Amino acid sequence: MKKLLLKKGKERALYNRHPWIFSGAVKDLPNSENGEIVQIFDYQQQLLGYGFFSPKNQIVCRVFEFTSYPITIDKQYWFHKIQRAFGLRKQLIDFQTTNCFRLLHAEGDFFPGVIADVYNQTVVLQILIRGTELILESIVEALLKLGFQYIYLKTKDVSHSIEKIQTDSGWIGNIGTTIIEVKENNIVFKVDIAEGQKTGFFLDQRDARRLVKEYAFGKTVLNAFSYTGGFSAYALCGGAVLVHSVDSSKAAIQLAKENMLLNGFSAHEAFCEDVFDFLKQTHHQYDMIILDPPAFAKTAKAVSNAARGYKELNLKAFQKIKSGGIVATFSCSQKIDKELFRKIVFAAAADARRNVRILHQTTQPPDHPINIFHPENEYLKGLFLYVE
Ligand code: SAH
């Protein structure tokens, strides 16, 4: 196995178990192929771990194992990693009531470059780097051994261009169906794994959705950026008297309608519209408004524009909410941290001249674990606010 040698002083990040090695930290780049597994050494030739090599990436190596003694990286090794991840999920999730969850959360499961979401018997795999593509066979074998029946690979365009991933999206082995019915806390959803966003469903809002259910009784609810109606279904399940779902995606709105019918919820109206326009035009006053926009800031440069977007959105919600109502507001932009998000939301509340108190602060659920040595992994923030 080839060696990657770090510059003197650059071993600190690895001692701290941060899994990313940037190009500037490397003394000798190995003469390895993109995606090859390399051994990482400090300047004293002490072994620090193993990682996937990405010579064209700013992050030239993603570490998946920290160890000071050599180990064998083979099919068994990957199987055990995935088995451990599954073991954690078995402790977290009641499979009787919920059969969709995240099985592998990249660095959060010490497995950079791979996301695996489970929808009943199907695993949707996202391969984000060439390194994980090269071990795809081992990943697939492990998933089948753990009892999953169908595997659908979903590669992202960006991975194709930077990481030179060669495999296209599609089934690996058994061919299943791309529209899958799942249950989450006993609420039923149809998920389109092929055409839907991300891997098909926003599994990361499971806990926040449950909280919405708890507050929804007797309320009129606006679910802005509803996607396929996740929050809407929970609100109706909790006894909301009317729910409006708004999303700019036609396919998402169509599925949102189907999902409400599937659960027998009728107090629902869906609007395929831009949320900013909807909020400007509507004269409706709601008891509860949910704001779950897409990541407005994907890069550090985009943060100030994104902050303006979040502020405007939250301001509108504070203006529309009835006294004694709840605004549940979220941000999934990793570049906007918890503190900045709070500042933006609090500034919007001040501009709206409303009294606002925090009832709950939410984050990603535990099947999206946050590796404490890799804070970049923490991306989802939510505030449940009581507005008078
Ligand atoms: N809350 C959802 C996930 C929301 S994802 C759930 O629990 O499943 C963000 C959604 O915002 C996507 O469905 C996307 O289509 C939609 N979207 C993005 N920009 C929008 C805009 N300007 N107006 C309305 N919807 C938008």
Side-chain angles (χ1 to χ4, degrees), residues 128-294:
L128 309 171
I129 56 174
R130 176 77 178 140
T132 44
E133 187 181 28
L134 289 175
I135 57 155
L136 188 56
E137 206 184 303
S138 301
I139 299 175
V140 168
E141 218 171 89
L143 292 170
L144 295 173
K145 208 163 145 187
L146 289 169
F148 299 103
Q149 290 182 4
Y150 306 100
I151 293 156
Y152 188 85
L153 184 72
K154 206 165 175 183
T155 50
K156 283 186 176 176
D157 290 345
V158 50
S159 322
H160 281 283
S161 56
I162 302 174
E163 278 289 332
K164 303 271 178 282
I165 286 182
Q166 287 154 19
T167 323
D168 282 322
S169 296
W171 296 101
I172 302 177
N174 289 343
I175 295 177
T177 141
T178 56
I179 309 271
I180 301 173
E181 211 171 283
V182 296
K183 56 183 173 180
E184 189 188 77
N185 293 311
N186 272 338
I187 302 179
V188 188
F189 293 99
K190 266 191 200 169
V191 175
D192 185 344
I193 59 168
E195 301 299 326
Q197 299 178 33
K198 297 267 194 90
T199 62
F201 199 53
F202 288 83
L203 298 165
D204 55 2
Q205 286 289 30
R206 185 190 316 111
D207 289 354
R209 287 195 277 257
R210 191 150 55 179
L211 211 46
V212 159
K213 178 180 155 195
E214 284 175 27
Y215 284 100
F217 189 80
K219 290 194 167 70
T220 55
V221 179
L222 170 64
N223 180 10
F225 308 93
S226 65
Y227 188 51
T228 56
F231 282 107
S232 306
Y234 275 73
L236 289 161
C237 183
V241 290
L242 177 67
V243 176
H244 285 167
S245 298
V246 181
D247 200 286
S248 55
S249 151
K250 218 169 161 181
I253 283 295
Q254 179 54 32
L255 213 46
K257 287 182 188 166
E258 288 179 36
N259 282 331
M260 297 316 116
L261 293 177
L262 205 57
N263 289 282
F265 300 140
S266 52
H268 178 246
E269 287 171 44
F271 304 88
C272 184
E273 252 180 72
D274 181 282
V275 164
F276 290 88
D277 293 343
F278 183 89
L279 283 171
K280 258 180 230 153
Q281 286 154 18
T282 184
H283 295 298
H284 216 91
Q285 291 235 310
Y286 296 94
D287 299 308
M288 186 171 195
I289 298 179
I290 297 150
L291 300 173
D292 187 22

